[in-house]
Amino acid sequence: MAVVKPFKAVRPTRDKVALVSSKSYDIYPPNELEAKLSYNPFTFLHVVNPGYKYHKKHISGDQRFKLVHNRYLEFKEEGVFTQDEDPAYYIYQKTTPYHTFCGIIAASSVEDYHKDVIKKHEDTLRSRELLFENYLKNTGFNAEPVLLTYPDNSIIEAIINKYKEQRPEYEFSTSDKDKHLLWVVANKEDISTIQQAFKEVKTLYIADGHHRSTSSCLLANNLAQENPKHTGEEDYNFFMSYFLPESQLSIYEFNRFIKDLNGLTPDEFLIELDTYFRIEKRGQELFKPKQKHHFSMYLDGEFYALYLRKTAYTFSDAKSKLDSEILYQTVLKPILGIDDIRNADKILYSQDKSDGLELKLKVDNGEFKVSFGMLPVTIDDIKDIVDSGLMMPPKTTYIEPKLRSALTIYEF
């Protein structure tokens, strides 16, 4: 039974929302970030980059977090942000040139996270958990929701479609040609219907935002211990999430690029691969895998198709069936000497939508010696891993939608 709670969002005013909302801070290249900070006084980037006001680029730690809080207060004092008077759900639709995503922004329960109603598929780094927990504690708000997915539900879909027939509260497009719409669901009957529908959902899966969710839980635990009157209903016991039906997720693969062949020549490397794979040379013909356990490889100016020899590899659990794990166990570790795929200096992960062209370009320019592509995993693959008590290997999935910051803000 999932607890999905409406909340009183702090939001940009309708006339400024297109100027305020932003992508995640670390996505912007330096020149674009500088331009937005220089020419847009309303961008939320001023809040998360508070040193810009003082011409300081390298403020860190608690000092930076406290300045983030101060810039946020200034945006509220200047009327850029206002808070809704009543708790609400927020239907948010993002349309890209390729996909449309439509779900509900609401508050998730920390208790659901601890009870495994909310399940994760990635390991998190303790240092990042603590850093973001400290950020949340000092700033007192969260401006970017965790992406959660749930089985398609006709009751929730009917409510969403009802509101989509009405004029949205927000309607704007961004320079990347994405269109953003947001509706406010404040009607008590509709709120009750949505809450009850989510109570019937047994499991929610984190699609994106593992560190944000874990850090929110750490903060809640710490604040509960500091609060002698803790009830479990305080705002810090919840974190902002975007609930999206499973059918609307877009899941992409990460390509692998390797800087050297671990002392092998290309011919010697191909001989080593032959132990685990049936190899077809495709020359300049671009090969894209269409089945699981098939891989694309670009080496020494040629494309190759690699087909796993199932007699040479044992499937022991759900994780062992993932193509990213197969590539690690048969190629990256034993042949190329890459033990720690999270921190290895000689491997690069890149999410690419160029139909495999990146596999060729990064090798041809001399930056890498060999590249690998594979088929994306499915939501069922992710659920099989999670429900088996396992974790996905690093850089196995790139999941969309990527959400904008500061469309809705959750305070605690």
Side-chain angles (χ1 to χ4, degrees):
M1 182 178 78
V3 176
V4 178
K5 184 180 177 182
F7 68 100
K8 299 177 184 179
V10 175
R11 301 187 285 114
T13 55
R14 180 185 287 178
D15 64 307
K16 295 184 180 67
V17 61
L19 295 170
V20 173
S21 71
S22 70
K23 294 181 287 188
S24 295
Y25 171 79
D26 56 1
I27 289 178
Y28 292 97
N31 59 337
E32 186 178 355
L33 179 63
E34 177 66 27
K36 289 186 176 293
L37 290 168
S38 296
Y39 299 110
N40 181 1
F42 298 114
T43 177
F44 188 69
L45 295 170
H46 280 292
V47 174
V48 294
N49 189 41
Y52 188 83
K53 181 176 181 179
Y54 301 109
H55 307 288
K56 293 183 178 180
K57 295 183 179 180
H58 302 294
I59 300 175
S60 60
D62 288 355
Q63 184 183 39
R64 175 175 176 264
F65 299 157
K66 290 174 182 177
L67 288 175
V68 169
H69 176 73
N70 292 343
R71 293 294 82 74
Y72 174 64
L73 292 180
E74 288 175 7
F75 269 48
K76 292 179 70 175
E77 291 162 359
E78 294 168 0
V80 177
F81 287 133
T82 60
Q83 186 167 27
D84 289 335
E85 294 183 359
D86 299 308
Y89 291 121
Y90 303 89
I91 297 172
Y92 170 53
Q93 178 174 295
K94 176 181 178 180
T95 301
T96 74
Y98 310 101
H99 299 284
T100 293
F101 310 95
C102 191
I104 295 175
I105 299 174
S108 299
S109 167
V110 166
E111 184 178 359
D112 279 355
Y113 184 91
H114 291 310
K115 290 164 59 177
D116 235 17
V117 174
I118 297 174
K119 293 185 176 182
K120 63 180 183 178
H121 69 262
E122 289 183 3
D123 282 322
T124 50
L125 299 174
R126 184 64 175 175
S127 59
R128 289 189 62 190
E129 294 172 5
L130 295 174
L131 178 66
F132 195 66
E133 189 249 349
N134 192 30
Y135 171 87
L136 293 173
K137 186 174 183 178
N138 278 279
T139 62
F141 68 84
N142 191 349
E144 186 176 333
V146 172
L147 179 59
L148 297 178
T149 189
Y150 63 93
D152 289 46
N153 184 291
S154 60
I155 296 174
I156 299 172
E157 183 181 8
I159 294 288
I160 289 175
N161 288 336
K162 168 186 168 182
Y163 278 85
K164 287 172 68 173
E165 294 177 355
Q166 304 174 16
R167 181 192 178 191
E169 173 70 10
Y170 296 153
E171 182 176 9
F172 65 97
S173 295
T174 45
S175 57
D176 52 8
K177 298 183 179 180
D178 292 345
K179 184 177 181 180
H180 306 269
L181 304 175
L182 185 137
W183 295 264
V184 179
V185 181
N187 178 277
K188 292 184 179 179
E189 184 175 332
D190 291 336
I191 287 176
S192 178
T193 299
I194 292 172
Q195 274 187 314
Q196 188 58 44
F198 274 112
K199 285 182 180 179
E200 303 301 318
V201 175
K202 294 182 179 179
T203 306
L204 298 165
Y205 295 88
I206 299 175
D208 194 19
H210 286 79
H211 283 93
R212 275 172 279 144
S213 54
T214 304
S215 300
S216 296
C217 293
L218 281 175
L219 178 66
N221 293 341
N222 291 335
L223 293 180
Q225 293 176 12
E226 296 172 7
N227 183 5
K229 297 182 179 180
H230 173 79
T231 66
E233 293 301 317
E234 295 85 357
D235 289 336
Y236 59 72
N237 294 292
F238 301 86
F239 56 93
M240 186 169 64
S241 300
Y242 180 52
F243 297 83
L244 192 71
E246 290 176 2
S247 64
Q248 293 190 34
L249 282 181
S250 290
I251 306 175
Y252 302 92
E253 76 281 12
F254 275 97
N255 295 328
R256 270 81 167 135
F257 299 84
I258 315 300
K259 291 185 177 179
D260 64 66
L261 298 180
N262 200 27
L264 300 172
T265 66
D267 286 342
E268 289 170 340
F269 180 58
L270 287 170
I271 291 171
E272 292 290 332
L273 289 178
D274 192 69
T275 301
Y276 288 103
F277 299 95
R278 180 166 57 86
I279 304 171
E280 290 184 2
K281 187 176 181 179
R282 297 297 183 96
Q284 292 300 306
E285 177 191 354
L286 179 64
F287 173 71
K288 286 279 288 183
K290 295 181 179 180
Q291 295 183 35
K292 290 182 178 180
H293 316 327
H294 292 183
F295 300 84
S296 175
M297 182 179 74
Y298 188 76
L299 171 71
D300 204 24
E302 308 280 356
F303 278 102
Y304 293 84
L306 307 182
Y307 306 107
L308 180 69
R309 298 184 191 276
K310 295 183 180 179
T311 55
Y313 182 86
T314 301
F315 297 127
S316 56
D317 55 24
K319 182 178 179 180
S320 70
K321 298 176 183 178
L322 294 175
D323 287 344
S324 57
E325 181 68 8
I326 292 170
L327 192 67
Y328 171 68
Q329 294 293 349
T330 61
V331 181
L332 300 183
K333 183 178 180 179
I335 301 175
L336 296 176
I338 300 174
D339 290 316
D340 186 352
I341 54 176
R342 187 186 294 271
N343 298 314
D345 292 333
K346 65 186 209 174
I347 185 170
L348 171 75
Y349 302 93
S350 177
Q351 195 290 312
D352 174 50
K353 298 178 184 177
S354 66
D355 293 327
L357 185 60
E358 185 188 43
L359 292 172
K360 171 180 169 65
L361 295 177
K362 278 182 163 43
V363 175
D364 282 351
N365 68 15
E367 188 178 358
F368 297 93
K369 287 292 186 182
V370 63
S371 59
F372 298 93
M374 63 196 81
L375 200 69
V377 302
T378 66
I379 184 60
D380 288 334
D381 293 329
I382 294 174
K383 291 166 67 173
D384 285 345
I385 289 289
V386 173
D387 294 341
S388 300
L390 303 170
M391 292 290 140
M392 301 284 282
K395 300 298 183 181
T396 297
T397 58
Y398 179 90
I399 297 179
E400 290 188 340
K402 299 300 181 185
L403 304 175
R404 293 184 76 80
S405 297
L407 278 177
T408 58
I409 295 175
Y410 182 80
E411 292 186 345
F412 39 84

